[in-house]
């Protein structure tokens, strides 16, 4: 398998952690999304990453679809429960973490405009969304306390790690006031699947 990604994409980070937790071999190819003809465009008409190309050439995108494919195709260890309540909990947790990523990226892109061109209302909305979602993630910490030593992680924790790491990279001020969440995140950073997929830029 070949994964097209960028070093700082939280969505690609989520997929890379899943691949590491499942001990699946793959080739990693970094993509420059600013390039008009970057290679991911040949396998994803939207030109977005991550894209996982299977051994038979089939492309799989986006990150949520990739994760579900990997868990079905390689069910051990299971990252998404098979029972309906457990599956709903896992996918809802992923959706919450992905929302943190989405809102943080929107905030970052707006911040890159010159100050006179920034939409202050948009920035405030995105910040509120991230802070509200981080509060919900922090409420999960008591259930996740020993996950750094677990045999394998499940999807909600994987997605949360990818989201928190991206906020820490791009908007660390949003994490002020979330001491329990950050303490858990700092412990989880030493797990091999997380340490080995840390952003390189």
């Amino acid at each position: 398998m070949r994964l097209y990604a960028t070093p700082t994409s939280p969505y690609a980070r989520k997929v890379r952690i899943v691949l590491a937790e499942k001990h699946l071999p793959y080739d990693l190819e970094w993509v420059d999304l600013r390039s008009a003809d970057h290679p991911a465009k040949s396998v994803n008409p939207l030109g977005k990453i991550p894209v996982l190309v299977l051994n038979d050439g089939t492309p799989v995108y986006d990150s949520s679809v990739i994760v579900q494919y990997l868990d079905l195709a390689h069910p051990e260890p299971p990252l998404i429960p098979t029972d309906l309540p457990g599956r709903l909990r896992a996918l809802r947790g992923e959706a919450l973490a992905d929302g943190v990523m989405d809102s943080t990226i929107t905030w970052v892109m707006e911040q890159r405009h010159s100050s006179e061109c920034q939409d202050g209302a948009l920035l405030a909305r995105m910040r509120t969304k991230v802070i509200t979602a981080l509060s919900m993630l922090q409420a999960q910490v008591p259930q996740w306390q020993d996950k750094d030593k677990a045999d394998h992680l499940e999807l909600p924790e994987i997605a949360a790690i990818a989201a928190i790491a991206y906020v820490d990279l791009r908007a660390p001020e949003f994490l002020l006031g979330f001491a329990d969440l950050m303490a858990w995140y700092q412990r989880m950073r030493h797990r091999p699947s997380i340490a080995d997929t840390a952003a390189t830029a």
Side-chain angles (χ1 to χ4, degrees):
M1 295 185 291
R2 176 177 295 273
L3 180 69
Y4 293 97
T6 62
T8 57
S9 166
Y11 310 102
R13 175 90 182 276
K14 178 178 61 175
V15 171
R16 293 172 65 207
I17 295 173
V18 167
L19 287 162
E21 288 288 324
K22 287 183 172 291
H23 306 288
L24 294 173
Y26 67 100
D27 295 321
L28 177 62
E29 182 168 342
W30 296 131
V31 170
D32 182 358
L33 294 177
R34 297 167 296 184
S35 173
D37 57 352
H38 66 74
K41 286 186 174 180
S42 66
V43 287
N44 181 353
L46 297 174
K48 298 171 66 176
I49 52 88
V51 184
L52 182 69
V53 179
L54 307 183
N55 292 333
D56 65 359
T58 301
V60 186
Y61 48 83
D62 61 10
S63 66
S64 295
V65 177
I66 294 171
V67 168
Q68 291 191 56
Y69 166 79
L70 290 172
D71 211 44
L72 288 169
H74 307 277
E76 294 299 328
L79 306 187
I80 304 173
T82 55
D83 65 288
L84 186 57
R87 187 173 185 83
L88 175 60
R89 175 188 54 79
L91 297 179
R92 185 178 60 198
E94 181 190 24
L96 179 66
D98 281 4
V100 172
M101 301 176 200
D102 295 343
S103 299
T104 303
I105 288 172
T106 300
W107 184 88
V108 168
M109 297 304 292
E110 189 64 25
Q111 282 280 349
R112 288 177 177 171
H113 296 153
S114 60
S115 57
E116 61 272 15
C117 295
Q118 290 178 8
D119 184 337
L122 175 64
L123 290 171
R125 287 198 306 274
M126 294 305 105
R127 184 182 188 280
T128 297
K129 286 185 178 185
V130 173
I131 296 299
T132 301
L134 290 173
S135 297
M136 295 183 70
L137 290 178
Q138 179 157 267
Q140 300 299 311
V141 167
Q143 302 173 35
W144 294 344
Q145 284 294 352
D146 299 322
K147 287 294 185 175
D148 56 321
K149 303 180 183 68
D151 289 339
H152 66 274
L153 299 180
E154 290 190 339
L155 181 56
E157 304 98 65
I158 292 171
I161 285 291
I164 296 165
Y166 187 73
V167 176
D168 193 37
L169 177 68
R170 298 300 194 203
E173 62 270 28
F174 290 175
L175 292 163
L176 297 175
F178 295 104
D180 292 345
L181 185 64
M182 288 305 293
W184 174 77
Y185 168 65
Q186 294 299 335
R187 290 196 304 275
M188 294 298 294
R189 290 177 69 179
H190 300 291
R191 188 177 178 91
S193 65
I194 296 166
D196 294 345
T197 58
T200 58

